[in-house]
Amino acid sequence: MNKDKRVNDLKLKQIVIFLTFCFFISCTSEKKHLKTIHGAQIQIDSTITAVDSLDIFVKPYRVRIDEVLDSTLAHAPLPLLLDDGARNTSMGNLMADIVLEETAPLFQKQTGKNLDFVVLNRGGIRSIISAGNVNARNAYEVMPFENYIAVVELDGAAARQLFTFLAEAPRPHPIAGIQIVLGKNGKLESVTINGSPFDENRNYFVATSDYLVNGGPSIGFFDEMVSITDTRYLLRNAIIDHFRKVDTLVARVDSRFIQLDK
């Protein structure tokens, strides 16, 4: 009996100590309040010297990254620009063509279905490619975001809405695999997809950025979708893969978007 009493007394003491501790913490925390926050801008410039130990540790990684990013993958005989055409541009056409060429076989392998065309957004292309050697660093400059290529299935009505949006958009959004013709009044006149007239009675598979699929910068790209396929293929990786395959990057303003004479 005495043993049981000692055990009970010990448990009681532990409980009292615990409750006392909780009370002390609650009282202490109530007395502490954030009153002010002070901040200062620290200028990052050449006056800041590297910490030798950190610089030595990072150097081999930095050297290897620079080797990978700066290795020549292709050559651009002419600059690829974003302002050399009213309705389509050389840089935008290059991007759309890369997505079409690199995604079509992947999508066919994943689903057994054929990719019909490509639509990207002008704002997603963040840099031009200057004439000269082209490397992986250029791909990161053009596409700094972690955007993946998605394939959207649209029925005929939704596809027509997309074409109308592209026709009326004030910016030249990149397209590939389709030709859009505007009438004299500036309205959508006709659409040709892979050499065949647009058929509103069938569905189409459109490669694009998952950023646009998830809402993107503006409503209008993909209001209604039958299905979405995540290719798990980074848009930037598609660019780098294409650079590795070709010796010369060639793209120009062409007739994939036509405005009939007014």
Side-chain angles (χ1 to χ4, degrees):
M1 181 66 67
N2 291 336
K3 181 179 180 181
D4 292 340
K5 185 175 184 302
R6 286 197 301 271
V7 171
N8 289 336
D9 289 341
L10 179 60
K11 289 182 177 179
L12 179 61
K13 288 180 180 179
Q14 291 174 338
I15 293 172
V16 171
I17 291 173
F18 176 75
L19 293 176
T20 302
F21 176 76
C22 291
F23 176 78
F24 175 79
I25 291 297
S26 64
C27 292
T28 303
S29 61
E30 290 178 356
K31 294 179 181 179
K32 293 182 178 180
H33 299 284
L34 181 64
K35 293 183 178 179
T36 59
I37 297 176
H38 298 283
Q41 183 177 10
I42 300 176
Q43 190 71 26
I44 306 298
D45 54 28
S46 59
T47 62
I48 297 179
T49 58
V51 178
D52 290 341
S53 59
L54 293 178
D55 190 55
I56 292 172
F57 178 79
V58 171
K59 184 177 180 179
Y61 300 97
R62 181 174 63 246
V63 169
R64 178 54 183 160
I65 290 174
D66 288 341
E67 287 177 353
V68 172
L69 292 180
D70 295 332
S71 297
T72 299
L73 302 177
H75 179 77
L78 298 172
L80 301 168
L81 307 174
L82 286 165
D83 60 357
D84 51 353
R87 282 293 184 172
N88 64 92
T89 66
S90 56
M91 187 65 214
N93 291 348
L94 175 70
M95 285 287 292
D97 289 344
I98 287 176
V99 173
L100 182 62
E101 182 176 334
E102 301 298 329
T103 307
L106 175 64
F107 180 65
Q108 210 285 329
K109 181 178 180 180
Q110 291 177 339
T111 66
K113 299 172 182 177
N114 294 324
L115 181 65
D116 292 300
F117 59 93
V118 171
V119 173
L120 302 175
N121 66 310
R122 163 63 178 77
I125 305 174
R126 310 302 290 190
S127 178
I128 65 170
I129 293 179
S130 300
N133 292 336
V134 179
N135 51 42
R137 191 182 298 276
N138 295 127
Y140 276 84
E141 292 168 349
V142 170
M143 178 50 58
F145 314 112
E146 298 298 298
N147 289 343
Y148 286 83
I149 298 172
V151 177
V152 176
E153 181 182 4
L154 301 178
D155 63 22
R160 179 173 289 279
Q161 291 179 10
L162 174 60
F163 299 145
T164 301
F165 172 81
L166 293 171
E168 297 177 352
R171 309 184 80 186
H173 297 298
I175 59 176
I178 58 176
Q179 184 182 65
I180 297 177
V181 179
L182 298 181
K184 294 181 180 181
N185 58 359
K187 299 298 183 181
L188 183 66
E189 179 77 13
S190 66
V191 179
T192 303
I193 302 173
N194 292 318
S196 299
F198 167 55
D199 182 0
E200 199 160 345
N201 295 314
R202 58 156 289 189
N203 289 6
Y204 289 93
F205 292 98
V206 190
T208 188
S209 163
D210 63 345
Y211 176 60
L212 294 180
V213 172
N214 294 325
S218 61
I219 303 301
F221 277 93
F222 304 104
D223 290 333
E224 298 179 15
M225 296 171 279
V226 176
S227 68
I228 303 172
T229 301
D230 178 7
T231 65
R232 301 180 296 279
Y233 193 19
L234 271 174
L235 184 51
R236 185 192 309 115
N237 287 352
I239 300 171
I240 294 174
D241 288 344
H242 184 79
F243 287 173
R244 289 195 175 110
K245 289 180 181 179
V246 300
D247 293 326
T248 305
L249 296 180
V250 178
R252 63 183 186 276
V253 177
D254 56 25
S255 60
R256 66 187 70 191
F257 214 126
I258 298 176
Q259 170 69 65
L260 299 179
D261 294 337
K262 297 180 180 180

